[in-house]
Amino acid sequence: EPEVTQTPSHQVTQMGQEVILRCVPISNHLYFYWYRQILGQKVEFLVSFYNNEISEKSEIFDDQFSVERPDGSNFTLKIRSTKLEDSAMYFCASSEAWVGNNSPLHFGNGTRLTVT
Amino acid sequence: KNEVEQSPQNLTAQEGEFITINCSYSVGISALHWLQQHPGGGIVSLFMLSSGKKKHGRLIATINIQEKHSSLHITASHPRDSAVYICAGLSYSGAGSYQLTFGKGTKLSVIP
């Protein structure tokens, strides 16, 4: 069964550094999402992406964050200048149709980001 | 503000027991996703439902729209069912946008 893949599985970075988290969504999916989960807390929505542009973003997704689909297969999340509070598990997800149409989400295994 | 509340937070069961996890949600949520988060952190979508009942193997999900309540049932539980089960509500946030609001999750441990 096709799956969403994320790399790396664990990323350690120093505060102030830029990080890029990578995701390869399922190939025929059109909608892409990033979520994060701070340790011990709820999963939170960051951003959704369709047709090469952001369709929605949360308050968490400030100017330090950006997303890109550089080559038609990868979907990346960049954090420009990491802060300690960015330490979390970051999940990429994709769906065939818009989640508002009750299309199921397919999640990757996550990237654990540790900012020191 | 949309909210999703799950109960219980933690649940320990003996292998073979019938398990129920509950989810209550606020007005504005039109559909629910049930997700399973493995001990390693990965998330798997189990069900998405906006009415009635769905069944997949030993898992059953129900939703009562009037009461704004959903339940996830596991029959003949097995240690491999041990995971965190998360309920997430889908709501319309305006201008054609939808968002998922996640519950805190229910940590299930099934003991042999």
Side-chain angles (χ1 to χ4, degrees):
Chain A
E1 185 176 326
E3 55 183 31
V4 176
T5 56
Q6 288 186 244
T7 55
S9 55
H10 192 187
Q11 172 93 45
V12 181
T13 190
Q14 286 194 321
M15 196 167 55
Q17 296 295 304
E18 174 184 285
V19 292
I20 297 176
L21 309 182
R22 301 181 193 280
C23 170
V24 179
I26 293 173
S27 60
N28 65 331
H29 285 188
L30 301 176
Y31 297 84
F32 315 113
Y33 315 85
W34 281 102
Y35 295 89
R36 82 169 184 191
Q37 186 179 33
I38 294 170
L39 188 64
Q41 298 189 22
K42 296 181 186 184
V43 176
E44 301 171 290
F45 169 74
L46 291 178
V47 66
S48 57
F49 192 87
Y50 169 72
N51 200 25
N52 283 321
E53 60 182 31
I54 291 173
S55 45
E56 188 164 3
K57 59 184 181 179
S58 71
E59 294 169 351
I60 303 167
F61 195 88
D62 61 21
D63 292 344
Q64 292 299 311
F65 291 89
S66 62
V67 288
E68 200 176 34
R69 189 156 161 80
D71 56 15
S73 61
N74 289 284
F75 178 50
T76 61
L77 174 69
K78 182 193 291 186
I79 309 175
R80 259 178 272 284
S81 177
T82 50
K83 304 187 281 278
L84 292 175
E85 53 265 38
D86 293 327
S87 295
M89 182 78 99
Y90 288 81
F91 292 101
C92 173
S94 68
S95 61
E96 197 170 352
W98 181 231
V99 68
N101 288 335
N102 293 334
S103 181
L105 285 171
H106 296 257
F107 286 85
N109 283 331
T111 292
R112 183 168 297 285
L113 176 65
T114 303
V115 182
T116 60
Chain B
K1 185 181 173 182
N2 293 305
E3 290 182 347
V4 173
E5 296 291 334
Q6 286 186 239
S7 63
Q9 273 192 304
N10 292 283
L11 181 56
T12 301
Q14 288 291 130
E15 184 173 355
E17 282 186 8
F18 180 83
I19 287 160
T20 296
I21 299 170
N22 296 300
C23 176
S24 297
Y25 57 92
S26 58
V27 171
I29 286 174
S30 58
L32 276 186
H33 291 248
W34 279 101
L35 310 166
Q36 180 192 52
Q37 186 168 28
H38 297 297
I43 295 176
V44 174
S45 180
L46 298 174
F47 296 104
M48 190 275 309
L49 66 167
S50 54
S51 65
K53 176 178 171 177
K54 287 190 177 179
K55 185 176 190 292
H56 182 68
R58 294 181 294 106
L59 301 177
I60 303 165
T62 63
I63 189 167
N64 184 317
I65 297 166
Q66 285 73 33
E67 294 185 4
K68 301 201 178 346
H69 181 269
S70 176
S71 294
L72 176 69
H73 305 285
I74 305 175
T75 61
S77 59
H78 190 276
R80 65 174 175 266
D81 297 326
S82 299
V84 175
Y85 292 84
I86 301 170
C87 166
L90 182 71
S91 57
Y92 181 65
S93 51
S97 297
Y98 286 82
Q99 276 205 25
L100 275 179
T101 301
F102 291 78
K104 289 184 178 178
T106 295
K107 185 175 180 182
L108 172 65
S109 301
V110 182
I111 300 168

